[in-house]
Each structure stands twice: as C-alpha cells, then as structure tokens.
Amino acid sequence: MTRGPEDQAEERSTLPIERGFPIERINEIASKEGRARRHYRPVYTMHKWWARRLGCIFRAVSLYTLVDDPEEVTVRDPGENTTLDAYGGGAVNVEELIDAVDMSDPESLWELYPKDVTIEDTRIFDPFMGGGTSLVEASRFGADVVGNDLNPVAWFTSKKELEAGETDPDVLRKAFEQVKDDVAEELLSYYTTTCPNDDSHDAHVMYDFWVKEVDCTSCGHTVSLFKDYRVGKARYGNDGYHVHCPDCGEISLTEDWHSKTLCGNDDCQNTFLPDEGNVSRGGKYACPDCGQKYGITDAIQEQDGFDTRLFALEYYCPTCDEQGRGRSAVKGYLRPDQEDFDDVEAAEAEWEAAEALEEYVPDVEIRTGSITSSSELNGNDVFQHGYEEWTDLFTKRQLLCLSKLLRAIDDVENDQAREYLLLTFSNALCTNSAMVPYQTVANKIDHIFRSNSFDPPMTFAENNLWGTEYGRGTFTSMWDMVIDAVEYAHAPTERHVVDGETVESAAFETPIGGNAQVTQGNSLELDYEDEFDAVLTDPPYYDNIIYSELSDYFYVWQKLLLEDEYDAFESEYTPRAESIVANPAEGKDVETFESELHAAFETIHTALKEDGTLAFTYHHSDSESWGELLQALCDVGFEVTATYPLTADLIQLTEGESVSFDIVIIARPAGERDPISWNTLRRRILRTAKESHDRLTENRELSQGDIGVIEMGRAFHEYSKHHGEVRRRGEIMDAKAVVDEIYGIIQQGSDIGEIDVFLDLLEMDDPTYSDLNMLTRGTNADPDHMKDQSLYRIDDGEFVLGTWDDETRIAYIQDHVNGGEAGENLTPLDQLQFLRFRYDRGKTIENYLNKWEVDDELRELSEGLADATGDDTYRRVLGGSRTLGDF
C-alpha cells in the first residue's frame, strides 16, 4: 500500500474511501443479499452468528480502503485468464479509477467490484472478528488476515470459514457417508408414522408438535397452553388453516380460523373458536374448566415444572410420492395415534437407559445472566419457565438422537472433516430443541434465536434431526450448506446489479482464506505493534446483544469434542466478564463499556502502521453515544476522516428525530493537533457541511438522511484534527459537546452568511478580494451587499476590512444607530463593533445595552470576534461594567 511520511498525517495518501463511497450501489446488492445469503455468499451460512454484516458491505469497504496503489494491484476478469496488463491499460487505468473517486461521483472504482482483485503485501486485522465477515472479504483480495475474538464459538466459526478454501470437499463427503452409514437409518426410525393413505407402509415425520401443560391451581384441571389452535396454513389450493380440536385432538381444515369451527371428527362434533386458546396476554393461562386466570411461570414454579403433550405431526411419505399421489396426500398434518405415542415412550425409555451416551450431551447448568434471566435487557427468564440445565431445552428423544449423531461424528478420524461435521451439528441445534416454535403462516419450523434471546414457547416443534426429503433445519440440509460453502470458498463468485438485474460473475481464482490466522482471547491483551495496514472490524455495541450468554447454547455442545483439542474450549462456559459490553449481570455499566472500548481503540492504534486505516461499522441511536465514540477515537490518537450510511433511508438525521445510526466510520492516526476556537471551528464545519451537501446533491440521488451522515463525517474530521484543543469561552470542549453542536448544524442546515465570511476574513493575516470571492462562493453571503455595509472596501487597490476602528465602517454604523430605534436597523455585528468603538473612546455603553437585547446570538458573536481577532474586549463589553474608567 502507498505510504506517506510517518510524522505528517496530512501528507499521507488520501484513500478512495476517504473521498467517496458508492452507497447507492452497495444498497442495491445489500437489499438482495440480505434475503438470499446462501446464494450470494454461502460461506456465511455454515453456522449461526449474531448481527453479522453482509459480505457486500465489507467487500466494498475493502475495495475502497485497500486499493490505493496501482503498482500493487492485480486485476483478473473472473473466468478468463486475463490479468492487469489486458485490463483496460493496466496500472495506468487502475490509477485513473482510483484518482477519479470523488464525493460527487465515487463509482469509478466500483468497476472493480466484480473483478478478481488482489493486492500485494497487505496485512489486515480484526480484533472483534465475530462471524469473520471482514476477514473473509479481505482475504479475497489476497491480503494476509489476522483475526481475534474472545468468544470460542466465534473463533471456531471464523476458523472454519477461513479454512474452507483449502479443504477438500471430497474428503468431507466421504466422512459424511461414514456418519450416514453409522446412524442415518437409526435416527430416521425415531421419526416415522403410519401413512394415512396406506397403512401398509410408514411415512416420515417431518415435525412433531408439542404443547406444554400445567395443572390449574384452583381446580386441578390440566390446562394445555395453546395461544390458539392453528397447526399450519392450508396448502395446495386450499384456503384457511389446519386446526387442532381442543376436545378430541382431531386436525381439521377451516377456512376462517377467527370463526366458529366444527371439528372434523364425526364422533366429536365440537364447535370451537380456533383463535381462542388458553393463554392470554401477560403470560397467564385461563382454565377452560373453572375460568381461573393465573401466571404461567408462577404455576410452573409451584408445580416444579410442566408436562408436554404430543398433539399433531407433519408427515412426508416418499412411497406415496413415488406412486405419484397428489401433493396434499404426500405431505400434510395428522393427529398422532397410539403408535406415535408408543414410539415417543420407547425413545424416552431408551434414553433413560443409555448411560454410554451421556458423555455426548452437556452436563452443565445454565448460567444466570442478563439474557437467561429477566432483566432490563430481556423480559424472558428461562429459570422461571423451569429450565435449569442446558439439556432441559431438549426432549429426551432429541437428546437420544443428538448424542448418537455426535458419537458418530466423534468416530471420524480426519480432523478437518470431523470439525466441519461438528460445525454442522452445532448449527442444527438452532432448529432441533424444545425451544423452537412452528411458523403456522409459513408452514415451517422457526429457530431458537428468532428474537436474539431465549424465549420459551408454549408450543414447539420437534424436528426430524437427520432429515427427510422436505423440512428445514435438519442435519442433512445444514450439511448441504457446508458443502456449498466449501465449494464456494475454493472459487467464489460475486453478484452485482447491472441495469437493475442481478448478474453473477464467473468463479474467481483467488480462494477464501489464503494466508489467515485467527486467535481466541481478550483483544485488550493483544501486543501487536505497527504491524497492520488496515483494521477492518465491527466492534461491540453497548448492550445490543450479549453474545456470551447466547453462544453458551452452542459452546456446551462443541466443547464435548473440542476441549481436548483447543485451549479455547477448556472453560465450562464462554468468557463473559472480559466481554466488551454493558452487561448488568456482570456489574458492567455503560461507563465500563466505554472505558473498555477506549482501551480497545488504543490497542488498535498501536497495532496499526503510522499511515494505516481503521474502518469499522457501528450502530447506535443517540448523539451522546456518538460523542463518546468520537471522544474515545480521538483520545487514543485517531482522527475521523469519513462516515457513510450502510443502509438507505435508515436515518432521519435532518428531521431532528432520535437517530438510529448504522454506518461505516473511517479513521486514520492523527497528526499534531493545533489549538482552535469553537467559533472558528464552527464556521469551518458550516462551510464543510455546505460544500459536502452541494457536491452530494450534484450528481447523486441520496436521501437527506444519507447526506446528513456523510456531512457528519466531514464535520467529525474537522473536529478530530483539533481534538483537545477546541476552546469556547476559554474552556476546552470535549467531543460530546462538539457532537451536540454538529447535530444542530446538520439538522438545521448549514447556511453561511456574511458575518461568518467576515469572521473568516478577520482570521486571515492579509485577506484579499480573491479570498472574499472564494469564501462567499456557494453561500448566502453577497460581496456587493457586504461592501454596501462597509464590511470591506478597496482603497487604492488595497483590500481593507471594515473593523471597529475603521472610520468608514464606524460612520456606516453611526448612521444606522442615529436612524433607528432599539437597534432594529443594526445587525449583531454592527452592535458589537459600535460598543467596541465607544468602549475604546471611554464613552458609556450602558444605555445601549439596556436598549438592545443581549441574547445568546450576541454573546456567541462576541466570543467569535474575540477569538478571530484576539481582542478580549469583545467579551467584556457585554459584561457588567459600562465605561472605560469602570474597567
């Protein structure tokens, strides 16, 4: 990468991402990729991780951050054996693409987005790698990538993603066949039912549907905890829903589940309302026998738990499918029969007797925390629902099947294959537990982390673990995603939008991973120094998601096979106290989070080369948070050089509403910081915001919110060059105070008037008429009107400012003082210069101060004049003293 002088930040090369970023093009892809991640970047679907950024975002950030020296860039057209020399003129052309990036038109470099671009001698670091997106995307540019995460689950997930490009998929397929031969038939045997079309053969059970039950605390009646009686939406040309009869359990089809429905069982003839279950808002049950309403969790705790009852199943019959029967016969919903209940009991009995399998399930209690317990962050409490150990979240049949599958995986000798099978197993836990509801509207199983918490459902779906032809979240369907990911990692492609249509490139030569290294540990204890060209990361967000508590769900299972292989899995749980997050369960408040984030930025600053770049995504919702973030960055020696919104129309910045930011921030090591007054800085920010706004609206179709975020980044840059040296009324302003002011400037608009221009001219040593023209260009200031006010004049070819001691200027003000009442013909500048003139002459000013309103605007301008001229008298004229003698 291009290197500027190490001791002068202002002399280093300006990166393309600091000049412009094509958020319109990124948003085109992001809106599609977010709905079809498996098709765009299969590598990220190998295992669940939370708040994972889209790959297209980090690819674009990498492109505009890392491609800055054409001599170190190689470009290949995917699918063709063409290199830089054949690409539009070679390095010269790439240099033109780089140089053409501009705020008003940043798209020149976007031409390389779908190309196989590699960059020599570049090292990238992510201290909070999470799901590994930044590292994967940077590795595709041929960069050496180094990542770290405190969380072992994140570390293991990222490790397997980055190793995928060097893993032989045939070795994986062979290992899968071994596991399949060992346990597939046995696992499938636990999920069968008699085919409803022909009792001579069995059908596969896709899902078993269970309902929790408690005894009424008043009458003892068993209460099934249904919110409503829907089982699944009608399909294959039918309207309505399949519903469960609360009297006999029959599964019937009704066209309107909000109306009274007649049970389809001729022996029952019960009429019921499918939308009226026994669970009401507020977490209470209503007993159908005596009518009592009572807290569900209270009943669970008083009765030492709850019971469950199998009430329905969804089947698929491959035999009927082969016979060509209609879709409604091949797949549908059933009421379980006695054989189904017997099968469940048999599996439960087998589990109770299977001591040899106990080593393949976690024998670990659930930790109390802000997510597992009811807290200010989470309204759910697994303990109140009767869960104490991690195995409580599964049915006995699930534990039996999971343990048998994990034992078969453990028997695989190839380390790489065994780990990918374990990763698949772990990911399948998302949809294979008693914490997973069924989406009746979509006819499919949900997943445990649908709300980024542990939210115990009253009814849940038990999945067929191995899986059949249809069904979601099975081990086999998860394995298919892993194979797709490994094959993609060997020859990744890139999807982008051309003329509104999505186009997929041919395969790239550069695989995922390459030279990658990932570690597990505390980012604050890393000791890298002056090693990395760029840090690309997605740091923690206050109390957004408590990853350590959520990831324990995976960790306790992964640990069973990994604790003897990796130090990261030695502990009983994932690290929690060291996590950089506001977590009440650990006594970590917002102040602790900010302190630790500050330390993390310090570690990053030390790890970066002196002309390196920090590019990170961030999300939060108020100016105070952003003030603290800016303060932390600047305190450790960064200056913010740009900010960009990641999602269009996410922000109502210009409306003055509560702002929810989702942006990428660019920062570079700062140079020496010069003192500056707030008034001077404010005018620079006004001018920068105005210029940015004009350029952004020149050729681009951006929302006002997007424009506001980019303007804010330019304002942050102006401030961070003077962090710790900005004074207002003699006091140092911190970043939080400046951010509040910047918010106001951007929300209210950045109109620059004649007084602002005059103050800028006052700060110049020898201002000229050319300076005046430059400063007024694109503003509300009119040079002719300023001349009419005697704010300047041309005297024998010399440019003269109309200061308080200039006779022409004072004569102009005196005429207006004599010609009006209460100073209505005077501007605030007129008033202050007049007071300053009288003060110098020893004349009284009290009567004018009494007549004129001394408001905040006048006081702010007095500060501005004092700062611009170094004349503190401007501050004193609005004080309590009234004459020169009194002073």
Side-chain angles (χ1 to χ4, degrees), residues 723-740:
H723 172 71
E725 299 289 344
V726 180
R727 283 179 167 77
R728 178 165 61 181
R729 303 187 183 100
E731 301 291 331
I732 296 292
M733 293 180 71
D734 62 17
K736 299 176 186 179
V738 172
V739 168
D740 283 339

Side-chain angles (χ1 to χ4, degrees), residues 808-868:
T808 304
R809 171 65 176 153
I810 289 301
Y812 167 86
I813 298 174
Q814 187 68 61
D815 287 344
H816 285 73
V817 170
N818 296 334
E821 294 294 330
E824 66 266 20
N825 293 330
L826 301 177
T827 67
L829 180 59
D830 294 337
Q831 293 173 338
L832 283 167
Q833 286 189 322
F834 181 70
L835 294 174
R836 178 65 184 85
F837 174 79
R838 291 186 64 83
Y839 171 86
D840 185 72
R841 298 296 189 269
K843 297 180 180 180
T844 183
I845 59 176
E846 184 172 5
N847 57 326
Y848 293 102
L849 288 171
N850 291 334
K851 184 166 55 172
W852 298 339
E853 180 181 356
V854 181
D855 55 14
D856 290 341
E857 182 183 6
L858 198 64
R859 292 190 181 280
E860 192 71 29
L861 181 56
S862 72
E863 293 288 333
L865 286 165
D867 291 335

Side-chain angles (χ1 to χ4, degrees), residues 1-228:
M1 300 178 70
T2 301
R3 303 285 172 248
E6 294 182 346
D7 58 342
Q8 293 292 330
E10 61 270 17
E11 294 182 15
R12 66 183 167 224
S13 61
T14 302
L15 302 175
I17 200 167
E18 295 178 283
R19 302 195 301 271
F21 198 52
I23 59 176
E24 304 97 317
R25 302 290 77 78
I26 298 166
N27 286 338
E28 283 181 337
I29 301 173
S31 62
K32 298 174 183 291
E33 183 177 331
R35 295 191 298 268
R37 293 171 187 253
R38 182 177 178 182
H39 300 291
Y40 275 73
R41 285 172 167 79
V43 69
Y44 301 128
T45 63
M46 286 198 294
H47 198 278
K48 167 71 179 176
W49 191 253
W50 296 268
R52 188 195 289 269
R53 291 291 182 190
L54 294 174
C56 64
I57 290 173
F58 270 113
R59 177 165 179 81
V61 170
S62 298
L63 175 65
Y64 276 71
T65 301
L66 307 182
V67 178
D68 73 318
D69 184 351
E71 298 299 329
E72 296 180 351
V73 175
T74 300
V75 181
R76 296 181 179 87
D77 274 311
E80 301 178 20
N81 189 23
T82 55
T83 60
L84 184 62
D85 291 338
Y87 173 68
V92 174
N93 183 261
V94 173
E95 183 175 12
E96 291 174 358
L97 298 181
I98 294 170
D99 292 343
V101 174
D102 181 78
M103 184 189 299
S104 62
D105 185 7
E107 295 192 13
S108 60
L109 199 58
W110 188 253
E111 185 176 335
L112 300 185
Y113 181 87
K115 306 291 185 183
D116 190 357
V117 180
T118 55
I119 306 154
E120 297 178 6
D121 301 324
T122 299
R123 280 173 58 79
I124 305 301
F125 179 47
D126 185 349
F128 307 107
M129 64 186 177
T133 308
S134 63
L135 301 178
V136 168
E137 297 305 323
S139 76
R140 294 181 59 198
F141 286 88
D144 296 343
V145 297
V146 178
N148 180 80
D149 204 280
L150 179 66
N151 193 288
V153 177
W155 170 79
F156 185 59
T157 301
S158 296
K159 177 177 181 291
K160 304 318 294 181
E161 289 172 356
L162 290 163
E163 290 174 353
E166 299 178 351
T167 299
D168 186 347
D170 288 335
V171 171
L172 301 188
R173 291 188 180 96
K174 182 179 179 181
F176 176 79
E177 289 301 319
Q178 174 187 325
V179 172
K180 181 179 178 180
D181 291 343
D182 285 349
V183 295
E185 185 175 346
E186 185 178 12
L187 296 183
L188 285 170
S189 71
Y190 292 110
Y191 296 93
T192 62
T193 189
T194 301
C195 176
N197 308 306
D198 182 349
D199 61 9
S200 67
H201 62 262
D202 286 340
H204 292 302
V205 173
M206 295 167 55
Y207 310 112
D208 277 320
F209 298 97
W210 296 81
V211 62
K212 294 178 180 178
E213 295 182 327
V214 295
D215 294 334
C216 176
T217 58
S218 176
C219 69
H221 180 79
T222 298
V223 181
S224 299
L225 301 177
F226 287 103
K227 292 183 178 179
D228 60 62

Side-chain angles (χ1 to χ4, degrees), residues 495 726 882:
R495 296 178 186 235
V726 180
R882 295 295 180 258

